[in-house]
Amino acid sequence: ALPYAEMPTFLEKLHDANTTTAIKLGFEFLILTASRTSEVILAKWPEIDFDTKTWTVPAERMKAKEEHRVPLCERCLAILQAAKKTTSGGEYVFPGRSLHRPLSNMAFLMALERMGYGNITAHGFRSSFRDWAEEKTHTQNSVIEASLAHTVKSKVEAAYLRTDLFDKRRDLMRDWAAFVTAKPSLKVVKIHA
């Protein structure tokens, strides 16, 4: 995983990376939504609701085999609008070499290697998000875990928790997007006279 403090710098490098537009857009979307690679590369346009700013991942693509609603921040919506211009009516949001095929499941990993980040994985960005949320926010653990689409391990707690905490997750994901898309700060060097 990339340390979360390095996220703004990484995102700037991703924007300048020598790779396809679909990979850049898809990778940033993965980071902003804290999603798994397979969920992102197989995303299809009917799953996106621009009016409610929601991406609904079908149960069959989720690790827990339950449908997962993902709140979309403004930057995610801008990414989707840019992707829409490049898909020319194809079914996949982030197409591979053909408009009718998804990106390869190795696309993000190969981009990382070309960018000089061969020691991290795309899946590791979920951990970067988790660490940031734990250390930099006062968000309840249940909201963080729901954002990662993790299931509640306690059967008793799961029996009583009947919400997906969507509104709280929307706030958390908006804050995550603001953090990772911030311009990297310049280090201030004090000069003593």
Side-chain angles (χ1 to χ4, degrees):
L2 186 71
Y4 66 82
E6 297 177 30
M7 290 301 302
T9 300
F10 174 83
L11 216 51
E12 280 203 347
K13 288 181 180 178
L14 177 62
H15 292 161
D16 294 335
N18 182 20
T19 191
T20 69
T21 299
I23 291 173
K24 289 179 188 182
L25 294 173
F27 205 164
E28 185 175 357
F29 190 80
L30 173 138
I31 291 167
L32 293 174
T33 59
S35 297
R36 295 175 181 90
T37 298
S38 61
E39 296 161 9
V40 171
I41 64 172
L42 296 174
K44 295 182 178 178
W45 288 112
E47 299 167 12
I48 308 297
D49 187 330
F50 284 96
D51 293 332
T52 63
K53 300 178 183 179
T54 305
W55 169 35
T56 304
V57 185
E60 60 269 12
R61 282 216 324 276
M62 295 301 300
K63 185 176 181 181
K65 301 299 180 203
E66 293 180 13
E67 181 180 275
H68 181 60
R69 293 187 311 149
V70 180
L72 300 173
C73 66
E74 293 303 317
R75 177 62 189 148
C76 283
L77 296 171
I79 288 169
L80 292 168
Q81 290 294 351
K84 203 167 200 98
K85 292 176 185 172
T86 65
T87 59
S88 301
E91 64 182 317
Y92 291 100
V93 176
F94 306 108
R97 292 182 183 182
S98 161
L99 291 177
H100 303 289
R101 295 188 57 124
L103 282 172
S104 162
N105 64 348
M106 296 295 291
F108 301 146
L109 187 60
M110 297 305 291
L112 285 167
E113 287 182 14
R114 284 192 299 275
M115 292 171 62
Y117 289 94
N119 60 333
I120 62 173
T121 65
H123 193 78
F125 286 92
R126 289 168 52 81
S127 181
S128 303
F129 164 77
R130 180 70 176 86
D131 291 346
W132 167 84
E134 192 68 39
E135 290 193 20
K136 295 297 183 181
T137 75
H138 298 288
T139 305
Q140 298 165 277
N141 185 59
S142 57
V143 176
I144 298 169
E145 291 298 301
S147 296
L148 292 165
H150 288 164
T151 56
V152 177
K153 290 186 169 82
S154 164
K155 290 183 180 183
V156 173
E157 187 178 347
Y160 287 95
L161 185 63
R162 303 214 181 259
T163 177
D164 65 358
L165 303 164
F166 191 77
D167 291 334
K168 288 184 177 186
R169 289 191 295 121
R170 185 177 297 285
D171 293 341
L172 178 63
M173 300 317 286
R174 182 197 60 232
D175 292 347
W176 170 241
F179 173 76
V180 300
T181 61
K183 296 289 180 202
S185 60
L186 298 174
K187 293 188 179 189
V188 176
V189 179
K190 291 185 179 182
I191 300 174
H192 299 286

